[in-house]
Amino acid sequence: MANATDTAPTDLAGREKVFSAITKASGWLDALGFSWLVPILRMIAGDSPKTQLRELKRVLLIPLLGILAFIVAWGVLAPKVQTSLGAVPGPVEVWEQAGNLWDDHVREREKAAQFYERQDQRNEKLVAAGKDPKFRTYTGKPTYLDQIITSLFTVGLGFGIATLIAVPLGIGSGLSKTFNGAINPLIQIFKPVSPLAWLPIVTMIISATYATPYDWMPKSLLISAVTVTLCSMWPTLINTALGVASVDKDLMNVGRVLQLPTSRTITQVVLPSSLPLIFTGLRLSLGVGWMVLIAAEMLAQNPGLGKFVWDEFQNGSSQSLAKIMVAVLTIGIIGFMLDRLMFALQRAFTFSANR
């Protein structure tokens, strides 16, 4: 029969493995915005409750108190501000309109399902009569969730194009002082240009060159995506150039001694060393792109959250202001989630984040 002294080392080793797993997971939880789970997991694993409760207070309770204070101030002050659409809606009214937008989405999906069900029934009769079936796409109005998906697709497309342009240019700028000197004046000129200035130019060029748009890529969506590209590529380009220029010269000298071709030098020496700064630029670019997109959609009346906000402003109903505030909160939450996603990717692909 084993005594307590035999089982104690085994229990200690098991606890060390659990704490080690929690420590490894803490980085990912922090990147995804769930750092408050770490002290809870540590308390469950048997760590000091006093220490972990203090940490839980710092990462969860204090932020929640800040949010609660904001909601209370919002609820108290909002009814005192009168606008042309009535009093500024408080948290309760905004929450109700969020529920109404979800209900509208559900109803629209039900209508679409009924439309396709009727179409299938008609096609069955046509096939039975020896005729060719006819297929049509449901053309109901886009719901709030549809607008969100459209905006996410548009910013993803614009951000992807910006990355494909900015990273190679940044690498070339960081490796060559001559190339950097050639493009630096262009960066300084075009970087501060507002999307309001780019939008009419992009609209005219896309309208002239993209005469027969694909069904999956409407002209209006491409206009917004290109505008996002032109406004968001600069942080990635600048940070990539800075990261490449900051690569340890000894590493570059080793590549020259080994006579590595330029392609292998870039992929095996330059990129791994400069990835942290590249991802910093990507996070900044994505944030800029998301802000630019909303403005572009509002001005160009392109599908997405920006058009939703503008349509509600023009609608001028008693519920419009609350719906606009729902959109504002949605834009902020999605922006936060996109930044957390990019930060998680940075932790996954950069060495310095995992040391």
Side-chain angles (χ1 to χ4, degrees):
M1 181 175 178
N3 54 34
T5 57
D6 296 327
T7 59
T10 304
D11 294 341
L12 183 60
R15 288 185 60 188
E16 289 178 352
K17 289 181 179 180
V18 172
F19 285 123
S20 176
I22 294 174
T23 301
K24 291 180 179 179
S26 63
W28 291 102
L29 292 172
D30 178 59
L32 295 172
F34 296 104
S35 57
W36 51 271
L37 281 174
V38 176
I40 295 176
L41 293 174
R42 287 186 174 277
M43 280 192 292
I44 294 174
D47 203 347
S48 169
K50 183 177 180 180
T51 302
Q52 298 309 317
L53 284 174
R54 189 183 304 116
E55 180 68 13
L56 189 63
K57 174 184 175 181
R58 184 183 68 84
V59 298
L60 181 62
L61 182 59
I62 293 177
L64 286 179
L65 289 175
I67 294 173
L68 181 61
F70 168 76
I71 292 175
V72 171
W74 176 15
V76 171
L77 298 176
K80 299 179 180 180
V81 181
Q82 296 293 326
T83 70
S84 59
L85 301 179
V88 173
V92 176
E93 292 85 354
V94 171
W95 179 257
E96 288 176 353
Q97 290 307 314
N100 290 338
L101 289 171
W102 172 254
D103 293 338
D104 291 342
H105 172 77
V106 172
R107 284 193 294 269
E108 196 65 27
R109 293 285 75 82
E110 290 175 351
K111 290 180 181 178
Q114 293 169 2
F115 171 83
Y116 287 115
E117 184 179 350
R118 291 192 299 268
Q119 179 174 260
D120 291 339
Q121 292 173 356
R122 286 194 300 268
N123 285 335
E124 288 177 1
K125 293 179 181 178
L126 289 173
V127 172
K131 299 179 181 179
D132 294 332
K134 297 179 180 180
F135 297 96
R136 296 178 181 176
T137 303
Y138 181 71
T139 56
K141 65 176 182 179
T143 66
Y144 186 65
L145 267 66
D146 294 333
Q147 305 275 40
I148 292 174
I149 293 171
T150 299
S151 290
L152 287 173
F153 178 76
T154 306
V155 77
L157 178 63
F159 174 72
I161 298 172
T163 302
L164 292 176
I165 295 173
V167 171
L169 288 178
I171 292 173
S173 179
L175 290 176
S176 171
K177 292 184 179 180
T178 302
F179 185 72
N180 179 64
I183 69 169
N184 187 59
L186 299 176
I187 295 173
Q188 301 306 320
I189 291 171
F190 291 119
K191 180 167 65 73
V193 176
S194 166
L196 307 181
W198 281 121
L199 194 58
I201 299 173
V202 172
T203 301
M204 288 187 289
I205 293 175
I206 296 296
S207 298
T209 58
Y210 193 53
T212 55
Y214 297 102
D215 291 338
W216 59 273
M217 180 63 69
K219 189 179 296 185
S220 59
L221 190 149
L222 185 59
I223 290 171
S224 296
V226 173
T227 304
V228 168
T229 297
L230 291 172
C231 295
S232 68
M233 61 184 291
W234 311 112
T236 297
L237 199 162
I238 293 170
N239 279 272
T240 300
L242 179 61
V244 172
S246 303
V247 174
D248 193 335
K249 302 305 179 185
D250 291 338
L251 292 177
M252 300 298 292
N253 292 333
V254 169
R256 295 190 185 95
V257 170
L258 296 176
Q259 296 183 345
L260 294 177
T262 303
S263 59
R264 291 191 64 186
T265 300
I266 291 174
T267 57
Q268 297 185 11
V269 177
V270 173
L271 280 179
S273 300
S274 56
L275 270 180
L277 271 174
I278 292 176
F279 268 103
T280 299
L282 290 173
R283 289 177 65 187
L284 292 172
S285 289
L286 188 56
V288 170
W290 183 243
M291 288 189 294
V292 166
L293 173 67
I294 304 304
E297 289 174 344
M298 289 181 67
L299 292 172
Q301 288 296 283
N302 297 336
L305 282 172
K307 185 176 185 301
F308 172 85
V309 171
W310 184 255
D311 288 345
E312 289 299 330
F313 175 72
Q314 293 295 319
N315 183 22
S317 70
S318 58
Q319 299 176 346
S320 293
L321 194 53
K323 290 181 179 180
I324 291 174
M325 297 188 75
V326 172
V328 168
L329 293 173
T330 302
I331 292 166
I333 292 171
I334 292 176
F336 168 76
M337 293 172 65
L338 290 175
D339 182 73
R340 290 290 91 186
L341 176 62
M342 191 58 63
F343 185 43
L345 291 175
Q346 179 176 352
R347 294 193 67 91
F349 291 104
T350 59
F351 172 73
S352 60
N354 293 290
R355 284 184 295 184

